[in-house]
Amino acid sequence: MATSRRVRRTLVAFGVAALLTAGCTLPAFAPRTEVEGAAAPTGSAPTWRPCPEVPDELVGRSAPNMRYECTRIAVPRDWGTGGGASTGPGAGETFEIALLRARSTKQRDRVGSLVVNPGGPGGSGVDTAVYLSFGPQFGGLPTSITERFDIVGFDPRGVSRSSPVKCISDADLDASFGYDPDPASQAAFDGFVGLSQRIGRGCGDRYGDQLPLYGTEQAARDMDAVRAAVGDDKLTYLGYSYGTLLGATYAQLYPQRVRALVLDGAVDPQQRLVEGSESQARGFERAFTNFTTWCAANAGRCPIAPDARAAVTSAIDKAKVSPVRGADGREATAGWVFYAVISSLYTESGWQELAQAIDKLAEGDPKDVFRLADAYAGREDDGHYSNLFDANLAINCADETEKPSRQQIRQLQSEWRGKYPLFGPALAVGMLSCVEWPGGRDPYPTGKANGAPPIVVVGTTGDPATPYEQTPRLASMLGVGRVLTWEGEGHTAYPQTSCITDAVDAYLLDLTVPREGLRCPPR
């Protein structure tokens, strides 16, 4: 059933990972459906309306026994000190935040609302709430959760339906994704500098001094308005990937308003741009090595065995000089092949797809390479992109204070090529996007959540995008974090196995904190 396959593929892609030119992101279907209606004024109770058209657009139908309602709330563009700045960029103006609530018709003993965010930054929480509502047969939430909680998704400021940032042309996004991931010559490196500058100028010209208002701390303050809008005294939250940073920031700002937070695919808030980029290079390299080991041991399922690393490296090298042209004339350049690799590493189920795509590319067929890469990029068949990457840049760059020089980046490109040969150069060069980004910065806090209850921080040992080492660091920074480990592959863990699911469900439902040091096996 085509609808089922689409739901499943989307669900396993939630917290997906690193937009290597700007930080973390996730593959997502670009939504066209709007959450209609006027936004409720700041602090007032919103009016919810039925919105079955949203799941219809995303999936083709509503989930069984689920009702969907939508609303919008208005939040200050600049919360400033005390809940609304009176001077400076955005003073007195508002953003509209779109919300969707999925409620089971079998709901019983309601606990409250479970607010969800899929990460990115740039991923749609509205979409995520829909996908999660489809239940465990499609990789969604267990019925034990959906029958006790409303599942509430919101699009953060600047994302999708919430006053979206849109300032990068489809042509520039095509150029960015298709660019050589390791521009070795100075001319090729300078070309990527120029592309980053052009993108930055376009966004600066459009949004000017309001660009810092898209940062994480402002969005975390919006989350408290979401909490109030759903009528909960305290927040229950499930955040994936970048969503863990949003949740951690909320816990620092509003520790007394936390009921339960699950932070899955942890981001270490204390690492800066260079450290974070190297961490991801290391994580992707490790995940790719795990893929090649699997490939060698499963030659019947891996047509590029026994040496998958050589096959992938050769495919990228060949694409630099002679890219395969598809039936529609589109060329599978080195960048597109590289992003097909990136896309496939977020779930173990993607490994076989990658092997088949590389094998078909060698035979002159790039269709599967484009399918994998486009799923990551959010690129539609007609070449149009959602605002996923516009928002990703705006949010990441507003947060980031570190600004290495081009010379430093060029040096790191060379150093990381030796340490992380497939992914290091791209992660180094990708830092140019925020280096060349205009506007001020608005860094988020990085301290303890004093006064908050225990917070569950989930990490996966084979995670490429938010490497496992970041999990204990986030838990330690918060001071109230309890680490839950999945010894599995891919990005994010809940609800992948019964061990992880049982531990998280007990925490969300009954506030039972997983025992110290709990490690869940791969299956």
Side-chain angles (χ1 to χ4, degrees), residues 186 189 193 404-415 432 435-436:
Q186 189 61 46
F189 180 86
V193 171
S405 68
R406 296 173 198 163
Q407 183 178 358
Q408 287 176 291
I409 290 174
R410 187 73 164 143
Q411 182 178 347
L412 288 171
Q413 179 190 7
S414 178
E415 291 178 7
L432 286 167
V435 167
E436 303 297 338

Side-chain angles (χ1 to χ4, degrees), residues 65-393:
N65 304 311
M66 279 290 172
R67 296 195 305 265
Y68 300 90
E69 296 176 301
C70 294
T71 193
R72 291 178 179 271
I73 60 173
V75 298
R77 291 197 179 195
D78 187 353
W79 283 94
T81 302
S86 58
T87 61
E93 298 178 294
T94 60
F95 284 130
E96 290 191 355
I97 305 299
L99 285 72
L100 176 140
R101 178 170 66 192
R103 177 176 288 173
S104 173
T105 59
K106 297 183 177 182
Q107 191 177 91
R108 57 183 175 78
D109 301 325
R110 181 179 180 274
V111 177
S113 295
L114 175 62
V115 178
V116 298
N117 180 273
S124 167
V126 168
D127 293 4
T128 301
V130 170
Y131 299 136
L132 287 175
S133 74
F134 273 79
Q137 68 269 39
F138 296 121
L141 293 174
T143 54
S144 58
I145 297 298
T146 57
E147 290 183 1
R148 300 288 302 281
F149 287 95
D150 297 339
I151 310 305
V152 175
F154 72 101
D155 290 351
R157 57 172 59 203
V159 174
S160 192
R161 306 165 181 85
S162 294
S163 301
V165 174
K166 189 58 184 169
C167 53
I168 309 176
S169 70
D170 291 340
D172 279 345
L173 284 167
D174 268 350
S176 182
F177 281 109
Y179 210 89
D180 186 345
D182 183 11
S185 71
Q186 189 61 46
F189 180 86
D190 291 343
F192 194 77
V193 171
L195 175 58
S196 300
Q197 289 175 328
R198 184 167 72 244
I199 289 172
R201 277 196 305 271
C203 293
D205 289 346
R206 182 156 190 177
Y207 295 102
D209 60 1
Q210 296 210 6
L211 282 175
L213 300 180
Y214 295 100
T216 293
E217 181 172 346
Q218 297 277 1
R221 295 186 183 279
D222 295 342
M223 283 174 60
D224 201 52
V226 171
R227 175 201 57 77
V230 299
D232 288 355
D233 292 333
K234 294 188 176 184
L235 177 70
T236 304
Y237 174 77
L238 170 62
Y240 293 100
S241 195
Y242 165 80
T244 68
L245 181 59
L246 265 180
T249 303
Y250 182 92
Q252 293 169 76
L253 297 173
Y254 307 103
Q256 304 294 338
R257 298 179 189 173
V258 171
R259 176 185 174 272
L261 304 186
V262 176
L263 309 181
D264 185 359
V267 173
D268 176 7
Q270 295 178 307
Q271 66 183 9
R272 298 269 45 98
L273 181 60
V274 171
E275 183 185 3
S277 296
E278 183 171 11
S279 175
Q280 284 195 324
R282 186 185 305 114
F284 275 101
E285 202 71 47
R286 180 169 56 204
F288 185 74
T289 297
N290 293 345
F291 156 69
T292 62
T293 300
W294 168 86
C295 202
N298 294 272
R301 299 167 60 195
C302 182
I304 59 175
D307 193 346
R309 180 176 287 273
V312 170
T313 301
S314 175
I316 292 174
D317 288 344
K318 289 179 180 177
K320 292 182 181 183
V321 294
S322 182
V324 176
R325 187 183 298 270
D328 60 355
R330 184 179 173 196
E331 293 187 339
T333 62
W336 288 114
V337 179
F338 177 78
Y339 279 105
V341 178
I342 288 290
S343 179
S344 69
L345 294 180
Y346 289 103
T347 62
E348 191 171 354
S349 62
W351 292 358
Q352 188 171 5
E353 293 181 73
L354 172 62
Q356 292 170 345
I358 296 299
D359 184 55
K360 288 184 179 180
L361 183 68
E363 297 173 352
D365 181 3
K367 181 173 60 177
D368 285 351
V369 162
F370 285 134
R371 180 177 55 81
L372 284 170
D374 288 354
Y376 175 84
R379 187 184 192 273
E380 297 180 0
D381 291 341
D382 61 3
H384 178 66
Y385 292 81
S386 70
N387 88 315
L388 176 63
F389 289 92
D390 310 67
N392 185 281
L393 269 173

